[in-house]
Amino acid sequence: MRTLTIIIAGLAMAFGAATASAAPIGFDLNSPDSRTGISNSTYAKGYNYSEDDIGLNITGWSYGTKTTTTQTCTKYNKKGQCTKYATTTTTSVVEAIEQDFVGKWDGLGIEKTDSPNHAIDNENGDYDMLLLSFDQLVKLTSLDLGWIYLDSDISILAFDGDTFDSSSLLGKKWQDLLLENWFSVGNYYNVDYSANSGLVNTNGYTAKYWLIGAYNPNLGGSWDGDNLNYTGQTDYFKLKGVTVEKPPVIELPEPSAFLLVLLGLIGIGLRRSKR
């Protein structure tokens, strides 16, 4: 039996599982395969991509806004009656997530407004994020930014639940998602800016759903990236490309004829040992 044990151990080593190395898969977000909810040649509600048998859908999400109009009297007559008014219109942020248009121009941005607000930004607490929905698990590895203005600090969330529906985002605050199977992958300084790289997700998390947006201090998470001199400026950028990897695949080598013979001998030995 000792000889049989040694043979089995040798076979285990011969049949040892090999891990296939993952090749990077890049998505050029300026070249979608199709769009949905099209507004015009620049804006749509969704963009669809496919690379290396991986499907990707991208949608845009941000806080809503409300507009308030007030009138102030600037001139009175002798009877104290107002004869002239000044109208003031103000816009404020409503902390409730809603879906918005995604615009494509040197990368993907969010909202149909004048520059620079049609970028992914965090101006005045209106945090924008792109939802990247893959049809399989992937490891996000790097981001390629197009247009950048002022700063490009980025926050990334990943979904760790069993099922997800984008409608679950509606009406929430961004920080509410941390209680609903989303977790902080990290915050990254000046991504893909000047000499800085676009590398992200150094912990190697895998997920099907990712939220990528301008830095949001309400989401927690640690800081990472090349530039550790955080400036605190408002961030404006457009996402031009993403690189992912498929999770490692375990490959089993095919047995040789010699090993098949050994397996046969082991079978014979086991039968004799029972007699």
Side-chain angles (χ1 to χ4, degrees):
M1 290 300 294
R2 177 176 174 79
T3 302
L4 187 59
T5 302
I6 294 174
I7 293 175
I8 293 174
L11 288 174
M13 293 178 64
F15 282 101
T19 302
S21 58
I25 302 167
F27 286 82
D28 178 2
L29 303 186
N30 277 335
S31 301
D33 296 311
S34 64
R35 300 191 300 157
T36 56
I38 297 173
S39 173
N40 53 37
S41 61
T42 303
Y43 291 96
K45 281 296 182 75
Y47 287 75
N48 300 305
Y49 307 83
S50 180
E51 291 289 344
D52 198 18
D53 297 325
I54 299 177
L56 167 63
N57 170 258
I58 296 183
T59 51
W61 304 80
S62 62
Y63 276 162
T65 58
K66 67 177 181 180
T67 301
T68 304
T69 302
T70 58
Q71 286 187 327
T72 304
C73 185
T74 59
K75 186 176 181 180
Y76 295 88
N77 60 20
K78 293 181 180 181
K79 295 182 180 181
Q81 298 170 325
C82 186
T83 59
K84 188 176 182 180
Y85 293 90
T87 301
T88 303
T89 301
T90 59
T91 301
S92 58
V93 173
V94 177
E95 292 187 330
I97 300 172
E98 61 182 28
Q99 187 174 359
D100 217 323
F101 281 98
V102 176
K104 179 176 68 68
W105 191 268
D106 194 19
L108 301 185
I110 301 173
E111 297 176 335
K112 294 175 65 174
T113 54
D114 295 332
S115 181
N117 306 75
H118 58 207
I120 303 168
D121 66 79
N122 50 12
E123 184 175 10
N124 297 322
D126 183 4
Y127 301 102
D128 300 333
M129 300 195 88
L130 288 177
L131 171 64
L132 279 64
S133 302
F134 294 90
D135 62 4
Q136 58 187 276
L137 287 172
V138 297
K139 179 175 73 173
L140 183 68
T141 59
S142 68
L143 307 178
D144 178 20
L145 304 190
W147 182 85
I148 296 174
Y149 176 65
L150 291 184
D151 214 353
S152 59
D153 299 328
I154 291 178
S155 293
I156 299 178
L157 298 180
F159 185 73
D160 193 30
D162 295 326
T163 60
F164 172 73
D165 189 321
S166 61
S167 64
S168 64
L169 301 177
L170 295 172
K172 307 285 178 56
K173 294 182 179 180
W174 288 115
Q175 54 267 36
D176 294 341
L177 303 186
L178 299 176
L179 303 175
E180 299 184 1
N181 294 313
W182 288 91
F183 66 93
S184 175
V185 174
N187 303 303
Y188 302 87
Y189 291 103
N190 292 350
V191 175
D192 200 26
Y193 181 77
S194 185
N196 296 345
S197 75
L199 295 177
V200 295
N201 188 26
T202 54
N203 287 320
Y205 297 117
T206 60
K208 291 177 65 176
Y209 304 98
W210 302 79
L211 281 165
I212 300 173
Y215 169 59
N216 186 340
N218 300 305
L219 299 179
S222 59
W223 277 98
D224 199 358
D226 301 301
N227 178 16
L228 300 182
N229 184 22
Y230 174 60
T231 61
Q233 297 186 91
T234 302
D235 304 285
Y236 302 90
F237 63 91
K238 293 189 177 183
L239 188 59
K240 188 176 180 180
V242 296
T243 302
V244 301
E245 294 177 0
K246 294 181 180 180
V249 177
I250 304 301
E251 297 181 343
L252 295 177
E254 294 184 2
S256 66
F258 174 70
L259 292 178
L260 290 174
V261 172
L262 285 179
L263 285 173
L265 292 175
I266 291 174
I268 295 172
L270 289 174
R271 289 183 61 187
R272 289 181 175 176
S273 65
K274 291 180 181 180
R275 293 179 178 177

